[in-house]
Amino acid sequence: MTRREALGLPAIALPALTLGAVRLATAAPAPSLSSAIVRLKLKHTWTTVMSSSDFRDTLHTSYTRDGITGHGEGAPIVRYNESPESAAKTVGELRKFLLDSDPRQFSKILAEVFRRVEGQYAAKAAIDIALMDWTTQKLGVPLYRYFGLDPKDAPVTTFSIGIDKPETTKAKVEEAAEYPVLKIKVGLDSDEATMEAVRAVTKKPIRVDANEGWTDRETAVRKINWLESQGVEFVEQPMPADRIEDTRWVRGKVHIPIIADESCLHAHDIAKVKDSFDGINVKLDKAGGVLEAWRMLQIAKSFGMKTMLGCMVSSSCTVTAAAHLSPLVDYADLDGNLLIANDPWTGVTVKNGKLILPDRPGLGLIKHT
Ligand code: MG
């Protein structure tokens, strides 16, 4: 017996519409956040000075709310004490906080994520990208439009040629015929042979990444000036990450721009490197996502520096997220998704080297079935 019946009052019949609405509201699924370590298989074995690998594991996230799912990804970097497992653990520890938060306050949420977690930038990127994908899908706009950018301003991307024997290098350069600008890894004793092999088959502009390879500043100057004579547009990270003063000395003796990668990981590094480098290479996995990458690009621009967006070996999820910011930058090196054989997504595409941004809401990813 209800309280009204006990008092002898007639029962109140609720309108059917209200009942239906109540039933619908209670039946709405709870928001969810899941993560999974995904093994991305490389088309070609990836060889560096340290190791050789046929795959790369990245952390993928899915954030679902109101019938919309945002996708994210982060590539953990061992050098910074990150692993796929530590990234998954970080997302797990933040799950309750993220699900209890109002996603419309994404900026506040991500600031809190950065406050709570030390390091683990790949996990932060996986969270940020999923939230930004969700938010812009909810708003019904492509991510680039949220930032007020013009997709026609998206630059060409370089295509990377890994270190290899001269004959293989020549074959790789010929395979990359559709890319108007190439990125070559240097920083080894074989640099001259590599450049000779490349120049034997193409006159295209080339950008090089020395990956901290030159530990002697005179060698760095000699190599960079020689590379300039070979039609190289700029050199990335010629000396070890902490050799900021030596790099400043080198910069004073060369003509082509020097871009920081390992020397500039986060926003607070920019002031430190601004007199030693002409520009910075921003990666979502290093920065901790789209919002932080945007902030780093703006800070670098405020110092009059050149800007570049790069990436790790990743699926089209991270690469597309970065590509949505690419109308902001001078240079793009967004080819990580092109190196893998089992990309789960179609997102950004490349036409004659130029990045073509999806005009669908959010990141605009389409899952392969
Ligand atoms: Mg680099």
Side-chain angles (χ1 to χ4, degrees):
M1 188 182 283
T2 65
R3 195 173 140 80
R4 283 184 70 87
E5 284 164 347
L7 293 169
L9 297 168
I12 295 173
L14 290 169
L17 186 65
T18 312
L19 274 176
V22 168
R23 210 171 288 130
L24 267 182
T26 49
S32 66
L33 173 66
S34 62
S35 71
I37 296 168
V38 175
R39 179 151 293 184
L40 303 173
K41 296 188 186 93
L42 290 156
K43 288 178 186 166
H44 297 289
T45 302
W46 188 254
T47 306
T48 67
V49 188
M50 307 288 284
S51 64
S52 211
S53 181
D54 293 315
F55 63 84
R56 174 85 205 221
D57 291 336
T58 62
L59 187 76
H60 294 226
T61 53
S62 300
Y63 173 79
T64 303
R65 195 178 198 116
D66 301 348
I68 294 170
T69 299
H71 296 281
E73 182 185 17
I77 303 175
V78 180
R79 176 174 179 172
Y80 309 127
N81 302 315
E82 300 176 3
S83 67
E85 292 74 23
S86 70
K89 184 166 172 274
T90 301
V91 172
E93 286 165 356
L94 291 165
R95 180 174 288 112
K96 187 175 182 320
F97 162 69
L98 293 167
L99 293 177
D100 288 347
S101 300
D102 179 349
R104 290 173 300 181
Q105 297 168 359
F106 58 85
S107 198
K108 179 179 172 179
I109 295 173
L110 290 162
E112 178 63 12
V113 166
F114 273 67
R115 195 190 67 78
R116 287 188 188 198
V117 180
E118 198 181 330
Q120 300 300 326
Y121 287 90
K124 288 168 181 161
I127 292 167
D128 165 293
I129 296 170
L131 270 182
M132 295 311 292
D133 183 25
W134 186 91
T135 300
T136 43
Q137 284 188 63
K138 181 84 173 167
L139 292 171
V141 295
L143 183 58
Y144 67 77
R145 193 169 303 289
Y146 170 80
F147 286 103
L149 301 173
D150 182 349
K152 289 200 292 294
D153 295 340
V156 296
T157 177
T158 42
F159 186 80
S160 299
I161 307 288
I163 297 166
D164 226 311
K165 295 185 197 75
E167 280 317 302
T168 318
T169 301
K170 279 186 195 174
K172 283 183 177 174
V173 170
E174 278 167 348
E175 270 176 46
E178 64 172 301
Y179 299 96
V181 189
L182 301 178
K183 177 168 164 175
I184 312 282
K185 296 273 183 186
V186 295
L188 299 170
D189 292 341
S190 56
D191 291 348
E192 281 81 358
T194 301
M195 282 303 294
E196 242 167 60
V198 174
R199 280 298 175 229
V201 287
T202 185
K203 290 189 166 63
K204 283 175 190 174
I206 291 171
R207 298 165 185 173
V208 303
D209 189 351
N211 281 117
E212 311 175 86
W214 302 314
T215 49
D216 169 75
R217 58 188 200 171
E218 281 83 8
T219 303
V221 169
R222 185 168 47 77
K223 291 266 196 176
I224 294 169
N225 286 332
W226 174 75
L227 287 165
E228 183 191 5
S229 76
Q230 297 296 305
V232 166
E233 289 184 338
F234 69 70
V235 56
E236 198 180 317
Q237 199 65 45
M239 301 197 75
D242 58 356
R243 301 272 293 277
I244 309 287
E245 278 311 305
D246 282 333
T247 306
R248 180 145 79 136
W249 184 87
V250 169
R251 187 187 177 208
K253 296 192 159 35
V254 300
H255 315 106
I256 55 176
I258 301 181
I259 309 291
D261 183 353
E262 288 82 355
S263 290
C264 184
L265 306 178
H266 309 297
H268 62 255
D269 292 323
I270 301 173
K272 205 164 57 189
V273 303
K274 71 178 173 49
D275 298 324
S276 300
F277 293 85
D278 297 279
I280 61 166
N281 181 2
V282 174
K283 296 173 184 167
L284 268 50
D285 316 86
K286 274 194 322 184
V290 175
L291 284 186
E292 189 61 15
W294 182 86
R295 194 162 77 106
M296 288 181 73
L297 295 171
Q298 299 296 354
I299 294 170
K301 282 168 175 283
S302 77
F303 284 125
M305 299 180 86
K306 299 237 180 249
T307 51
M308 171 173 174
L309 273 161
C311 62
M312 308 299 290
V313 171
S314 293
S315 81
S316 282
C317 182
T318 305
V319 175
T320 302
H324 277 278
L325 292 181
S326 73
L328 277 173
V329 302
D330 300 292
Y331 313 116
D333 179 32
L334 295 175
D335 64 349
N337 56 334
L338 306 174
L339 305 175
I340 58 171
N342 60 335
D343 193 344
W345 310 103
T346 295
V348 63
T349 54
V350 180
K351 195 172 178 194
N352 300 322
K354 190 175 157 70
L355 294 164
I356 309 293
L357 308 186
D359 58 6
R360 298 176 289 274
L363 297 180
L365 298 176
I366 296 173
K367 180 107 179 164
H368 293 167
T369 48

